[in-house]
Amino acid sequence: MKRKGTVTINDVARHVGLTNITVSRAFKQPDKVKPATRERIMEAARELGYVPNAFASQLRSSKSRLIGAVIASIDNPFYSEAIKAISREAKARGYDILLMDTDGDSDIEAAAIQTLLSYQVAGIILSPVSDALDYHPAYIETLRDAQLPLVMLDRTLPVEDFSRVVLDNRKAGWLIGNAMLKRKLDQALVLTGPANSYITQQRLQGLRDAYQQADTAVTLDPREGLYNFEPAYDAVMHYLSESGHPSAIVGLNQLMTLGALSALHDIGISYRDATVLGVDQLPYCSIFDIRIPTTRFDASHAGHQAIHLLLSRIANPDAPPQRVVIDCTME
């Protein structure tokens, strides 16, 4: 019968009449314990309901098997796919992932970094809440002092001493611009992240590049959708009320494109009557026969690259920081 409350290794040792050292070795180094003894210990553990405390074991060991992942918004399908890839690869290499969703809040982000440091993680994969060039959170110096391996994913901080996996954002905008040119569009409402976001600036510049290369004028009306569904929805509704029917709407990420589609639906406008384009594929839309021209970044590949860079950094802390760029295509 299982005991009530927390069962410790001492309880198991008393139950089988062995020392704590022998019982601990049966869990940590089973090959060094006689099979018959090991089976007695495991049977006692099952009977008592003992579960080894992996976290405590890590704190006692010299090598952590925990990796922290700090993500600005797990609602974003891109990050969800990247985290799947990171988690699978980490498990294959004997690591566990501790995921922290900051929900775009810089205070939560700072607290998450401190929590991961207190857990003595082996390294961190970070997608910051902001990629503005003036965003320089205090925890950067803390991470430097701790000499903790760090890889930034997608969004990056304005520092050069950490590895990073970034997207080819200028190309994504350029592909959207060429898709607009093929449709002979010369005006668009563009749903953006914060105006000071480097990713937003690059995607807008790529879009303009396409028109400049074609020697064609274009009028863009950027409205902040803040990379989220609700702000993008509100921005489109406000635009429709003040400016009427746009000839095209461009969402600079998945959630903003979905917000635009929802706003058009609620006001009674078919997306076919207002050309909608976006950066990043829209999940499940094809099931409902909704075909939206979008660019595509391989989020799983980005996740694999991030975890590989981090594991390399863990293995060789003195290696120079690396930068990997993820390409995109037009769907």
Side-chain angles (χ1 to χ4, degrees):
M1 178 181 292
K2 295 181 180 180
R3 297 182 182 178
K4 295 181 179 179
T6 301
V7 178
T8 69
I9 203 167
N10 295 335
D11 298 323
V12 178
R14 282 194 295 268
H15 191 78
V16 294
L18 297 169
T19 66
N20 293 356
I21 294 175
T22 301
V23 173
S24 177
R25 186 176 294 131
F27 289 102
K28 295 179 181 178
Q29 299 173 298
D31 58 308
K32 294 186 178 181
V33 179
K34 293 179 179 179
T37 302
R38 187 170 66 243
E39 181 53 36
R40 283 176 56 204
I41 293 170
M42 296 304 169
E43 178 60 31
R46 288 191 290 269
E47 181 181 342
L48 297 174
Y50 171 71
V51 178
N53 188 332
F55 178 61
S57 297
Q58 286 193 158
L59 291 181
R60 289 191 294 269
S61 72
S62 60
K63 187 175 182 181
S64 171
R65 307 303 294 183
L66 274 176
I67 288 174
V70 182
I71 303 299
S73 175
I74 202 64
D75 292 336
N76 188 318
F78 175 86
Y79 291 129
S80 299
E81 287 300 312
I83 288 296
K84 284 182 186 178
I86 290 168
S87 180
R88 288 170 183 163
E89 183 65 20
K91 287 177 182 177
R93 300 285 292 273
Y95 288 87
D96 290 314
I97 295 293
L98 189 55
L99 176 62
M100 317 287 275
D101 183 0
T102 64
D103 200 25
D105 188 310
S106 59
D107 290 335
I108 295 176
E109 178 178 86
I113 295 295
Q114 289 300 322
T115 297
L116 294 176
L117 286 169
S118 71
Y119 284 0
Q120 299 182 22
V121 295
I124 295 175
I125 293 174
L126 168 67
S127 180
V129 301
S130 173
D131 66 335
L133 295 178
D134 60 353
Y135 182 58
H136 199 283
Y139 65 71
I140 293 177
E141 297 304 326
T142 304
L143 292 170
R144 284 174 174 153
D145 292 341
Q147 297 184 327
L148 186 69
L150 174 78
V151 173
M152 292 179 283
L153 173 61
D154 183 27
R155 301 178 186 177
T156 61
L157 299 170
V159 293
E160 298 299 328
D161 49 338
F162 296 113
S163 293
R164 63 203 62 213
V165 176
V166 296
L167 310 181
D168 193 339
N169 293 298
R170 195 157 180 167
K171 182 177 178 180
W174 182 83
L175 288 171
I176 290 293
N178 277 281
M180 291 174 60
L181 282 164
K182 289 180 180 178
R183 290 161 176 79
K184 301 186 184 305
L185 297 167
D186 60 4
Q187 181 272 337
L189 162 64
V190 185
L191 300 167
T192 75
N196 61 353
S197 162
Y198 184 70
I199 290 173
T200 282
Q201 293 168 6
Q202 288 293 292
R203 291 178 179 178
L204 282 173
Q205 187 57 54
L207 200 163
R208 293 189 179 103
D209 287 345
Y211 276 83
Q212 288 172 0
Q213 291 167 12
D215 196 23
T216 303
V218 64
T219 300
L220 303 179
D221 189 347
R223 303 289 179 101
E224 289 189 3
L226 304 180
Y227 295 130
N228 278 303
F229 182 97
E230 289 84 1
Y233 176 95
D234 292 340
V236 173
M237 294 297 274
H238 183 69
Y239 180 94
L240 293 171
S241 66
E242 70 174 15
S243 303
H245 195 306
S247 60
I249 300 177
V250 176
L252 292 189
N253 83 342
Q254 294 148 312
L255 294 178
M256 293 190 292
T257 306
L258 289 170
L261 290 172
S262 181
L264 290 172
H265 175 271
D266 288 353
I267 209 167
I269 299 175
S270 170
Y271 77 92
R272 294 181 177 87
D273 296 328
T275 303
V276 179
L277 307 95
V279 174
D280 291 331
Q281 286 180 301
L282 302 182
Y284 310 119
C285 277
S286 60
I287 296 174
F288 305 101
D289 197 31
I290 298 176
R291 309 291 176 174
I292 303 294
T294 61
T295 64
R296 178 182 180 272
F297 289 106
D298 189 335
S300 292
H301 181 56
H304 278 295
Q305 291 295 317
I307 188 66
H308 286 162
L309 286 182
L310 186 66
L311 292 173
S312 296
R313 191 74 168 179
I314 291 171
N316 185 8
D318 295 325
Q322 299 182 60
R323 182 176 184 267
V324 174
V325 180
I326 304 299
D327 195 10
C328 65
T329 56
M330 194 74 197
E331 298 290 321

